[in-house]
Amino acid sequence: MRSPVLMGIVNVTPDSFSDGGRYLATDAAVAHGARLFAEGAAWLDVGGESTRPGAAPVDPKDEAARVVPVIAGLREAVPDAVISVDTRRALVAEAALDAGASIVNDVSALEDPGMAPLVAERGVEVVLMHMRGDPSTMQRNTRYADLLGEVEAHLLARVAQLRALGVPDHRILLDPGVGFGKAPGDNPSLIAAVPRLKAHGHRVLIGASRKRFIGELTGVSTAAERVFGSVGAALAAAARGADVLRVHDVAATRQALAVFLAVEHA
Ligand code: HH2
């Protein structure tokens, strides 16, 4: 089993669910990203719009103005880091790629009609995440007749869109969207389903860090205090072959993975 890549979260937002407002200033966000890289996050995911349930959308120009200076700053501060931009807007993604990002992490999986052509043209990697509706509406209906079948069909339809534009499979990562329009009980099933998603030949990313379902399983209501539960989710995802783990707590996750992988390989 290969060690999953850790994707450290750099939220440049006033309202993210677990760390909103902490890294809104460019310098603070760059310093935070550099620290996550030093702790073992080979990838840094820079986002300028909160996607927590019920979050208000951000004007793409404001979103770009938040993320571009942070990406440029990280390019300089940590040249070896791979930078992804967490955005649903092609305009923001384009500005981020120009500033030095090389991955587009799109939680809407290509809803913006400009996104697929941009990714194809630039030859960059893209994360396609499953969500029903958008962050302002996604928790209104969290019932699925066939959860995994729906997630899979939705993502594969978006993969087909990219393939038609010539994007090779190895540049496409799939993410079942833990916590995005899902009932709490569905989230462990999404993590358990990593092998099923991987069977389509793409790398799989899991983002469970500090999410509400961990609070519901553990009784920990403050998101920033869900580190231990988040590490549990990360190990469970790693055990099932997840390729990339999107996490807030890089040092803790890395420490747990080192022990877990040593036992796996013993
Ligand atoms: N989760 C969040 C944001 N982006 N991207 C992917 N690919 N997968 C995820 O699970 C995912 C994601 C939500 O977490 P966070 O960034 O901490 O919060 P917020 O959206 O409130 O900024």
Side-chain angles (χ1 to χ4, degrees):
M1 181 182 300
R2 286 224 318 265
S3 180
V5 171
L6 297 185
M7 176 195 249
I9 301 170
V10 183
N11 281 326
V12 200
T13 56
D15 57 346
S16 285
F17 76 96
S18 83
D19 56 5
R22 283 195 64 186
Y23 310 111
L24 196 50
T26 300
D27 292 356
V30 172
H32 181 61
R35 185 165 62 87
L36 296 182
F37 180 75
E39 289 174 353
W43 293 10
L44 299 173
D45 191 36
V46 182
E49 180 194 46
S50 174
T51 49
R52 77 188 148 73
V58 178
D59 184 294
K61 286 203 190 85
D62 297 337
E63 191 187 338
R66 287 178 187 170
V67 298
V68 164
V70 173
I71 291 169
L74 285 170
R75 247 318 28 106
E76 241 183 80
V78 277
D80 292 338
V82 172
I83 299 173
S84 76
V85 60
D86 185 348
T87 186
R88 303 183 279 149
R89 320 273 179 218
L91 185 146
V92 178
E94 186 167 20
L97 295 176
D98 289 342
S102 57
I103 302 174
V104 177
N105 174 22
D106 182 359
V107 298
S108 78
L110 313 176
E111 278 299 313
D112 183 332
M115 196 63 106
L118 175 73
V119 165
E121 201 178 296
R122 294 298 193 97
V124 292
E125 292 176 271
V126 59
V127 180
L128 301 177
M129 197 198 79
H130 175 270
M131 161 166 57
R132 201 153 66 174
D134 63 42
S136 62
T137 60
M138 66 187 180
Q139 292 306 124
R140 280 190 205 149
N141 175 10
T142 58
R143 279 166 180 258
Y144 295 81
D146 170 13
L147 172 72
L148 298 177
E150 252 188 67
V151 167
E152 205 167 38
H154 178 85
L155 292 176
L156 292 179
R158 303 300 163 102
V159 167
Q161 230 177 300
L162 290 173
R163 277 189 185 147
L165 295 173
V167 179
D169 283 352
H170 67 84
R171 285 208 203 112
I172 306 171
L173 290 92
L174 303 183
D175 178 346
V178 171
F180 282 83
K182 313 294 188 318
D186 288 342
N187 294 299
S189 311
L190 294 176
I191 297 173
V194 167
R196 177 167 164 177
L197 265 189
K198 274 183 72 100
H200 300 286
H202 302 274
R203 283 170 290 163
V204 168
L205 183 151
I206 293 292
S209 188
R210 300 187 183 178
K211 284 186 177 166
R212 191 184 300 177
F213 84 100
I214 294 174
E216 272 155 11
L217 285 170
T218 60
V220 179
S221 55
T222 305
E225 291 171 6
R226 296 178 188 148
V227 182
F228 309 110
S230 301
V231 169
L235 293 188
R240 283 159 182 78
D243 300 278
V244 184
L245 302 174
R246 183 181 183 276
V247 300
H248 297 87
D249 304 292
V250 173
T253 311
R254 188 164 179 227
Q255 187 181 104
L257 272 175
V259 177
F260 172 78
L261 291 169
V263 176
E264 285 292 310
H265 295 147

